[in-house]
Amino acid sequence: MKFDAVLFDCDGVLVDSEPITNGVLRDMLEERGWTLSPLECMQRFIGKAVKDETALIEAHTGQPLTEDWMVRFRERRNAGLTRDLKPIPGAVKAVAKIHAVFESRIACASGADRFKVELQLQKCGLMPYFKGRIFSGHEMPRSKPFPDVYLAAAAALGIQPARCAVVEDTVTGVAAGVAAGATVFGYSPPQAGHDAPEALRRAGAVIVFADMAALAKLVGAAVPH
């Protein structure tokens, strides 16, 4: 299939942020009495907004998840990202090629808050490709796995969702792309922080790949239209 636009998730697709963010979350949950291993924390929270998991966190810690706690979490998370964040290997080159071939018809549609998304894109040299086309699930009526953020991105580009390729690395994100009516490509390298290939396929990803260098060819960047 040929596509008219490519919509990217951010965390785990463009930037290698999950180990950093989940490390901060794990530490702060342990401070409240809920001890998880780094892997367990990723398995429970990857692809999900912390604020959407309030009931789960409160049930395990026995304490309310206050706005003050969320502010401190974001502050510690942002400090870690500013210090240590790197792009996903091959992502900058893949985005640059797709951006050129699709004549800027790309967007970043993340479940994260806008400040985090923009911080990460800036830090990793990706902002020039996405400036003005960044969409946050926090600003939508519903966040992933609902399709709102992808529908908003497609509408802003003036492209029907069915003509869009979506790039995701979690079951939650794949579900959002499928619900939007897009064709979803699942990124699943062997490193921790991404959902397994089988899980992405079950969620509706049509193709699962492990090397970002393959993405441009997969979405048809060699055949502009």
Side-chain angles (χ1 to χ4, degrees):
M1 181 177 178
K2 295 179 180 179
F3 302 102
D4 295 328
V6 182
L7 312 179
F8 293 83
D9 177 41
C10 187
D11 297 286
V13 168
L14 298 174
V15 300
D16 193 14
S17 56
E18 297 291 6
I20 299 169
T21 298
N22 276 272
V24 171
L25 178 60
R26 196 214 70 83
D27 290 349
M28 291 187 68
L29 292 176
E30 186 168 72
E31 290 164 9
R32 288 202 153 199
W34 185 13
T35 300
L36 295 164
S37 71
L39 181 59
E40 287 172 333
C41 191
M42 280 194 180
Q43 289 171 337
R44 283 182 179 267
F45 294 101
I46 190 168
K48 301 172 182 176
V50 174
K51 68 181 182 62
D52 292 339
E53 301 303 308
T54 296
L56 176 68
I57 292 172
E58 290 180 347
H60 281 86
T61 63
Q63 300 176 56
L65 191 65
T66 63
E67 181 57 30
D68 178 66
W69 188 90
M70 284 300 304
V71 167
R72 287 186 287 111
F73 165 70
R74 286 190 289 263
E75 287 174 347
R76 287 170 62 170
R77 175 203 71 187
N78 293 345
L81 293 170
T82 300
R83 183 179 62 248
D84 298 325
L85 184 67
K86 291 180 173 60
I88 290 290
V92 177
K93 188 173 181 179
V95 167
K97 181 172 184 180
I98 293 167
H99 178 269
V101 172
F102 280 80
E103 298 176 341
S104 303
R105 294 189 304 275
I106 69 171
C108 180
S110 173
D113 58 274
R114 177 172 293 274
F115 183 88
K116 180 190 181 194
V117 178
E118 293 185 347
L119 180 157
Q120 294 182 144
L121 295 178
Q122 192 70 47
K123 168 80 174 175
C124 292
L126 287 158
M127 183 61 84
Y129 304 109
F130 292 106
K131 189 172 183 179
R133 297 182 304 281
I134 298 168
F135 301 85
S136 165
H138 283 227
E139 298 167 3
M140 304 295 152
R142 304 169 299 177
S143 56
K144 298 176 185 179
F146 294 99
D148 302 32
V149 72
Y150 281 119
L151 294 175
L157 293 175
I159 306 294
Q160 289 297 315
R163 301 294 303 167
C164 294
V166 159
V167 189
E168 276 282 359
D169 75 316
T170 67
V171 167
T172 302
V174 171
V178 170
T183 299
V184 183
F185 293 78
Y187 175 59
S188 183
Q191 294 83 6
H194 313 268
D195 280 338
E198 316 83 68
L200 298 182
R201 290 191 187 97
R202 284 196 301 269
V206 295
I207 292 176
V208 176
F209 66 104
D211 183 358
M212 197 56 71
L215 180 61
K217 186 175 180 179
L218 288 174
V219 300
V223 188
H225 52 89

